[in-house]
Amino acid sequence: MQALLSAGMTPEDHLLDIGCGALRLGHKAVPFLKPGHYWGTDASLALMRHGRLTELPDPTQLPEDHLIEDAHFAFPGIPDTITLAIAFGVFTHLPHQALQTALTNLRPFPNLRAVLFTVFLSDAATSTRQPDGVVTHPDRPPYHLPEAQVAQTIAAAGFAPTKLPTLLPRGQVLWSAT
């Protein structure tokens, strides 16, 4: 939530929570946003439904059809009213191509002003020990990417890249694509 609030999120925003899982962010964002302004995607619809029923004080605040099963970052059924998107801890577990696909498929959203996401950074072609001790890899999870490649991927999708100074768990780096 703090990253979104720092990016200027207000209750009027329409949020897309990519890889929302059991609503670890959703349980805070849904009550903050105006009704109907939260959308979540994940590879597991069952996990999202479970989170809706167990994590939200009032599950009726989040219509079940606002939870979209989407393992390929195609964003089917997501309305063009989305103004902010976040993918926290998603691309650390997926190959670089997933980030490319997600950003490319988000670009057509006409009201989208920012995409926030996390990655591990390293220029090493081998395993890297991140600041808190987690070991990341260029070819298997948890993945790391060179900083220049992340910036280039954001730009190639038509966004302006900004590496944010926010300190995140496990050494993840927060990026903004605007």
Side-chain angles (χ1 to χ4, degrees), residues 14-16 18 80-86 102-103 105-116 159 177-178:
H14 294 257
L15 177 65
L16 174 58
I18 301 165
D80 65 5
T81 55
I82 296 299
T83 56
L84 288 171
I86 189 166
L103 290 173
N105 290 342
L106 285 167
R107 191 68 201 118
F109 284 82
N111 298 303
L112 184 64
R113 70 174 186 273
V115 181
L116 302 175
F159 293 101
T178 55

Side-chain angles (χ1 to χ4, degrees), residues 6-164:
S6 294
M9 185 173 78
T10 70
E12 289 77 26
D13 275 304
H14 294 257
L15 177 65
L16 174 58
D17 187 359
I18 301 165
C20 68
L23 306 183
R24 68 179 178 213
L25 168 64
H27 82 277
K28 294 178 180 182
V30 169
F32 175 82
L33 295 167
K34 285 189 171 182
H37 286 214
Y38 175 93
W39 289 79
T41 63
D42 197 89
S44 172
L45 183 58
L47 183 59
M48 291 185 290
R49 286 179 174 164
H50 177 75
R52 179 179 174 268
L53 295 176
T54 60
E55 298 297 331
L56 296 179
D58 179 6
T60 64
Q61 286 186 311
L62 176 59
E64 195 169 323
D65 67 352
H66 283 217
L67 301 174
I68 308 290
E69 188 169 44
D70 180 19
H72 304 289
F73 307 105
F75 309 116
I78 302 297
D80 65 5
T81 55
I82 296 299
T83 56
L84 288 171
I86 189 166
F88 197 96
V90 174
F91 301 114
T92 56
H93 301 288
L94 298 170
H96 175 247
Q97 180 62 41
L99 175 61
Q100 290 176 315
T101 299
L103 290 173
T104 299
N105 290 342
L106 285 167
R107 191 68 201 118
F109 284 82
N111 298 303
L112 184 64
R113 70 174 186 273
V115 181
L116 302 175
F117 65 91
T118 61
V119 293
F120 288 113
L121 294 179
S122 176
D123 290 330
T126 59
S127 300
T128 299
R129 185 167 304 283
Q130 296 291 333
D132 81 335
V134 66
V135 177
T136 60
H137 314 277
D139 57 353
R140 66 182 190 277
Y143 289 90
H144 64 244
L145 297 168
E147 183 173 333
Q149 184 179 22
V150 176
Q152 180 182 23
T153 299
I154 295 169
F159 293 101
T162 303
K163 184 175 103 174
L164 300 172

